[in-house]
């Protein structure tokens, strides 16, 4: 194992020894999307050389998308951060230092801030790309030892509305379904998810099912005619923000037709009366107006839901990234409960995760209100259990949730946070209303950035840079969208002084004088973590290291002989006080800001197939850059003509918080009055191209997830930018 101790300067003499040619091979989980494909990775002399997939290994059974297949070209040695770096003040240049020096400096600065301003002046912002071992140790260090709940991650931007939706309806987070349900489903609803771009391997399975089963149908609910919509039997181009209205119209009609599963509702649910009252009381004219869909389209939709069918619904950012994200999730789950389409083979409401380990992060409790095992900081008994497991004094864990992602960066901008530690993500590009996050990064007195690349947009704000091993260089564990836990093994050594993320966290814990961070292997961290989940809703305690090395396992897996649980709630029993699933009646609500005369267009942000997140890794791969070389904005021909824009021209999307530069694509794939703007391109591409200069940082009141999918803008012609730098 590569250890931090072996990366100290004293070890450099050993590096002079003649190097042996090494060929290594191992399985590793893809570091991109939540499908969680397991890859066979080969390296030669510390270079990744080949990625393949084994047809017998779940969940991808030999399939790969171009992003995964080209991973061996993504590590960009010239961009790697290979040594700790630091500077004592913002105007000084960063200089390379030893691990010993940087750990001493971090310990001294954090202790100083703790004493001077208290724990709430220290914050952590992490990522669903971190493996479970690192995520768990960050949670332990911050919540247990630094005694601050000021930690959140980009899962807040991605999944928190889905978490809240599941908890409200079922009493626990976690999808009830699994990928194998695809091969048994008849009807697919895909809402707010462009699966061809963002979950391509999974969508291949959906397409295969559609092609081989005559009765199967694909319904896509999306304002855009996305690539996924082009495969649909029925595309419902809902008005942006109109999903709840559309689903209420469908449920209302199903109720009128008597096409509901009364026996399931009576036996396994509660609250249907309130939903039924809401459906009867709703004004259909208002609902049609809000949904932007006509009665014929609703009738076609409802007909596909009638009769004997197995309904599997996939949904993602289009449902979650909204000020009514929890309502949207709730509406999807209501539909499933009403039809009795939960807990059956081939059926269920299935929230897709955008990142490879967003699920694992939820399991370790890295959001500001959570603790390991889906526990909450607000529950005294939960805090007590975790304090006992960690061997820390009662009362160590504080009972109040910290700030979620958006308020965290606002607090940094307001001077309320002194130390901000960021790991494995790029908030200087990815946060909504990104100017605020950039201001927070500028203002915080100590910005620690832990990453594998030296030049991310966020690294430019760092006072301390910590070099992390990257994919292929570390062993660790991740949980994909279907609760499948998989183990990755390293196939090459990390360059220079870079080490796995968990080792960095443990080393800081030790440098600060904390006991409980004396791990010498990732497997020890895993063993400790899995024990914290025993008896909880996400029980992984039966997943030993040895078992994970043999293949993935679905949780719950409560003992070492347990095979894992692919599907949940098959017995109709839910972890709520009554044991029943809960309907929630919620009327539709409008987005936080609406178009007006000054800003007449609704901008929807999203992703493209060839890029991932902020391109820190996919931007290194020439084939992927060629497919998606520059930011673009899709504009309906009517709007383009009205504004005087033509195909290929550059334009600013100008919003209430800033403006974003992109090349115009004229297409009737976006409806009149809306534009589509991918968010991948940040300052490394060009200083004006971040889509998040215009996005809205208003948040859902329950999930605290920001409304990245809806803001009001106008378009203005712009001169072609001078492009330089990251143009591989
Ligand atoms: Fe990776 Fe997702 Fe592609 Fe699979 S589908 S190879 S997990 S990016």
């Amino acid at each position: 194992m590569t250890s931090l101790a072996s990366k100290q300067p004293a070890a450099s003499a050993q590096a002079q020894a003649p190097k042996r040619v090494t060929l290594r091979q191992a399985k590793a989980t893809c570091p991109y999307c939540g499908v969680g494909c397991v890859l066979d990775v080969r390296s030669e002399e510390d270079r990744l050389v080949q990625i393949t997939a084994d047809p017998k290994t779940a969940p991808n059974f030999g399939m790969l998308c171009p992003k995964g297949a080209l991973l061996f070209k993504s590590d960009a040695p010239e961009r790697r951060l290979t040594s700790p770096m630091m500077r004592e003040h913002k105007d000084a240049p960063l200089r390379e230092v030893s691990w010993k020096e940087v750990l001493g400096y971090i310990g001294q600065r954090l202790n100083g801030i703790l004493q001077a301003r208290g724990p709430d002046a220290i914050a952590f912002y992490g990522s669903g790309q971190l493996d479970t071992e690192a995520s768990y140790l960050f949670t332990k260090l911050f919540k247990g030892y630094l005694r601050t709940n000021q930690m959140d991650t980009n899962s807040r931007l991605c999944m928190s509305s889905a978490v809240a939706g599941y908890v409200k309806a079922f009493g626990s987070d976690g999808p009830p379904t699994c990928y194998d349900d695809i091969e048994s489903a008849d009807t697919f609803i895909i809402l707010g998810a462009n699966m061809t771009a963002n979950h391509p391997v999974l969508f291949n399975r959906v397409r295969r099912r559609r092609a081989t089963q005559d009765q199967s149908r694909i319904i896509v609910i999306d304002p855009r005619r996305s690539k996924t919509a082009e495969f649909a039997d029925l595309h419902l181009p809902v008005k942006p923000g109109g999903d709840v209205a559309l689903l209420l119209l469908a449920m209302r009609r199903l109720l009128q037709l008597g096409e509901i599963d009364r026996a399931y509702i009576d036996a396994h649910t509660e609250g249907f009366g309130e939903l039924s009252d809401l459906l009867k009381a709703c004004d259909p004219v208002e609902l049609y107006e809000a949904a932007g869909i006509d009665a014929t389209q609703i009738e076609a939709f409802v007909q596909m839901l009638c009769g004997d069918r197995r309904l599997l619904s996939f949904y993602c950012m289009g449902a979650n990234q909204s000020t009514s994200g929890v309502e949207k999730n709730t509406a999807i789950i209501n539909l499933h409960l009403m039809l009795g389409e939960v807990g059956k083979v081939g059926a269920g409401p299935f929230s897709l995760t955008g990142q490879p380990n967003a699920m694992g992060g939820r399991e370790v409790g890295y959001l500001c209100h959570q603790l390991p095992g889906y526990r909450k900081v607000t529950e005294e008994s939960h805090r007590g259990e975790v304090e006992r497991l960690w061997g820390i004094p009662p009362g160590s864990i504080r009972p109040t949730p910290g700030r979620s992602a958006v308020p965290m960066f606002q607090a940094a901008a307001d001077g309320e946070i002194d130390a901000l530690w960021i790991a494995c993500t790029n908030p200087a590009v990815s946060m909504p209303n990104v100017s605020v996050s950039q201001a927070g990064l500028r203002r915080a007195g100590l910005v620690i950035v832990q990453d594998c690349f030296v030049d991310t947009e966020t690294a430019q704000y760092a006072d301390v840079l910590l070099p992390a091993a990257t994919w292929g260089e570390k062993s660790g564990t991740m949980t994909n969208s279907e609760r499948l836990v998989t183990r990755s093994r390293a196939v090459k050594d990390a360059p220079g002084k870079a080490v796995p993320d968990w080792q960095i966290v443990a080393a800081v814990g030790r440098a600060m004088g904390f006991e409980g961070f004396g791990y010498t292997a990732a497997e020890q961290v895993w063993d400790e973590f899995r024990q914290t989940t025993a008896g909880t809703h996400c029980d992984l305690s039966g997943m030993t290291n040895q078992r994970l090395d043999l293949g993935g396992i679905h949780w719950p897996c409560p003992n070492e002989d347990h095979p894992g649980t692919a599907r949940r709630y098959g017995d109709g029993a839910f972890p709520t006080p009554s044991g029943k699933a809960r309907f929630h009646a919620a009327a539709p609500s409008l987005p936080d800001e609406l178009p007006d005369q000054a800003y007449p267009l609704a901008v929807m942000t999203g992703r493209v197939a060839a890029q991932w997140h902020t391109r820190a890794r996919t931007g290194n791969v020439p084939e992927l850059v060629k497919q998606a070389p520059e930011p673009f904005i899709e504009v309906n021909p009517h709007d383009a003509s009205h504004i005087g824009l033509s195909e290929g021209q550059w334009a600013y999307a100008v919003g209430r918080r800033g403006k974003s530069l992109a090349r115009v694509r004229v297409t009737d794939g976006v409806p009149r009055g809306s534009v589509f703007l991918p968010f991948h391109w940040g300052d490394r591409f060009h200083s004006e191209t971040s889509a998040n200069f215009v996005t809205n940082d208003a948040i859902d009141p329950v999930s605290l997830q920001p409304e990245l999918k809806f803001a009001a803008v106008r378009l203005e012609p712009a001169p072609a930018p001078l492009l330089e730098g990251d143009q591989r």
Side-chain angles (χ1 to χ4, degrees), residues 368-582:
C368 65
H369 62 291
Q370 296 176 324
L371 287 170
Y374 284 177
R375 297 178 179 91
K376 296 179 190 160
V377 299
T378 48
E379 298 279 334
E380 188 176 2
S381 61
H382 291 183
R383 294 195 304 278
E385 285 165 12
V386 176
E387 286 161 353
R388 280 190 292 283
L389 288 160
W390 285 346
I392 56 178
S396 295
I397 299 171
R398 297 169 73 211
T400 314
R403 298 178 182 93
S404 63
V406 169
M408 178 189 290
F409 283 95
Q410 183 67 61
D414 294 342
E416 293 168 26
I417 288 176
D418 269 2
L420 193 49
W421 185 345
I422 294 156
C424 202
T425 189
N426 198 6
V429 181
S430 58
M431 287 293 293
N433 191 11
V434 74
S435 303
V436 172
S437 312
Q438 293 175 350
L441 288 162
R442 261 193 302 276
R443 181 150 188 198
L446 174 64
V447 176
I448 302 169
V449 175
Q450 180 170 324
D451 208 306
C452 61
F453 295 119
V454 72
D455 59 351
T456 67
E457 287 84 349
T458 302
Q460 308 314 306
Y461 296 88
D463 300 287
V464 173
L465 282 169
L466 300 176
T470 190
W471 187 81
E473 298 169 352
K474 56 188 175 181
S475 296
T477 310
M478 294 201 182
T479 309
N480 72 1
S481 291
E482 58 162 345
R483 294 174 284 101
L484 184 77
V485 181
T486 55
R487 169 63 52 81
S488 294
R489 288 293 182 193
V491 294
K492 68 191 273 288
D493 293 335
K497 298 173 191 167
V499 294
D501 291 286
W502 70 264
Q503 286 192 31
I504 299 174
V505 193
V508 171
R510 291 194 298 273
M512 295 191 72
F514 300 137
E515 292 182 359
F517 292 92
Y519 312 94
T520 56
E523 290 78 2
Q524 291 174 345
V525 184
W526 173 260
D527 267 336
E528 180 180 305
F529 163 62
R530 73 181 171 98
Q531 298 302 343
T532 68
T533 67
T536 69
H537 294 322
C538 63
D539 193 332
L540 302 96
S541 60
M543 297 186 195
T544 62
N545 286 293
Q546 292 76 9
R547 292 186 71 189
L548 287 175
D549 278 338
L550 297 176
I553 306 170
H554 293 89
W555 63 256
C557 177
N559 62 63
E560 294 181 13
D561 299 318
H562 194 284
T565 312
R567 296 179 185 85
R568 302 163 83 200
Y569 313 137
D571 57 359
F574 295 87
T576 58
S578 64
K580 295 185 172 188
R582 299 177 287 218

Side-chain angles (χ1 to χ4, degrees), residues 29-39 60 63-69 71 198-202 612:
T29 310
C30 177
Y32 294 129
C33 82
V35 178
C37 294
V38 173
L39 316 178
N60 45 316
M63 289 184 280
L64 283 178
C65 79
K67 290 194 290 283
L71 264 164
N198 303 320
H199 301 88
V201 163
L202 207 56
W612 200 79

Side-chain angles (χ1 to χ4, degrees), residues 648-651 661 663 686 718-723:
Q649 187 177 351
W650 287 81
L661 181 63
R663 197 191 283 273
H686 186 278
L722 183 63
L723 298 174

